[in-house]
Amino acid sequence: MAVERTLSIIKPDAVAKNVIGKIISRFEDNGLRIAAARMKLLSQKEAEGFYAVHRERPFFNDLVKFMISGPVMIMVLEGENAISQNRNLMGATDPKKADKGTIRADFAESIDANAVHGSDGPDTAATEIAYFFPALDVYTR
């Protein structure tokens, strides 16, 4: 198995519910380690840049508006197969379709306010991590 890094964002809805610690515990209980973390209120420019891949989609403006509506907790998770591990822990994007016991099933309200973001592959993870964390800000064992 490969040790990987992935980006995780606890979104404004989950931060507002005060479940950051519960979500982080799920990562740690499943072998993922936090290599970097910061709480931040994203600017519109930052949110638009981060989600630029979705710029032409009809939900883009609502997504940006949601992501700047309150603080987020941005983390680099590290561990064996961290990308797939994180995606399994998150559950389906639509919490109504997410498996019981996943983060989204337990903490998300809707497909729009779905508690967490996670990178979907190695290239995306590298790009997303670099967007929020310069190399020197990520802990290396």
Side-chain angles (χ1 to χ4, degrees), residues 50-67:
F50 183 74
Y51 286 108
V53 67
H54 299 303
R55 187 172 302 280
E56 300 305 318
R57 301 189 118 171
F59 60 82
F60 177 76
N61 289 330
D62 289 338
L63 175 60
V64 169
K65 186 177 177 182
F66 169 65
M67 290 301 291

Side-chain angles (χ1 to χ4, degrees), residues 33-75:
R33 186 181 69 75
I34 298 172
R38 79 166 42 119
M39 184 171 246
K40 182 170 182 50
L41 183 59
L42 298 177
S43 69
Q44 182 157 341
K45 183 178 178 181
E46 287 171 319
E48 286 174 347
F50 183 74
Y51 286 108
V53 67
H54 299 303
R55 187 172 302 280
E56 300 305 318
R57 301 189 118 171
F59 60 82
F60 177 76
N61 289 330
D62 289 338
L63 175 60
V64 169
K65 186 177 177 182
F66 169 65
M67 290 301 291
I68 66 173
S69 69
V72 296
M73 177 61 95
I74 308 165
M75 297 171 287

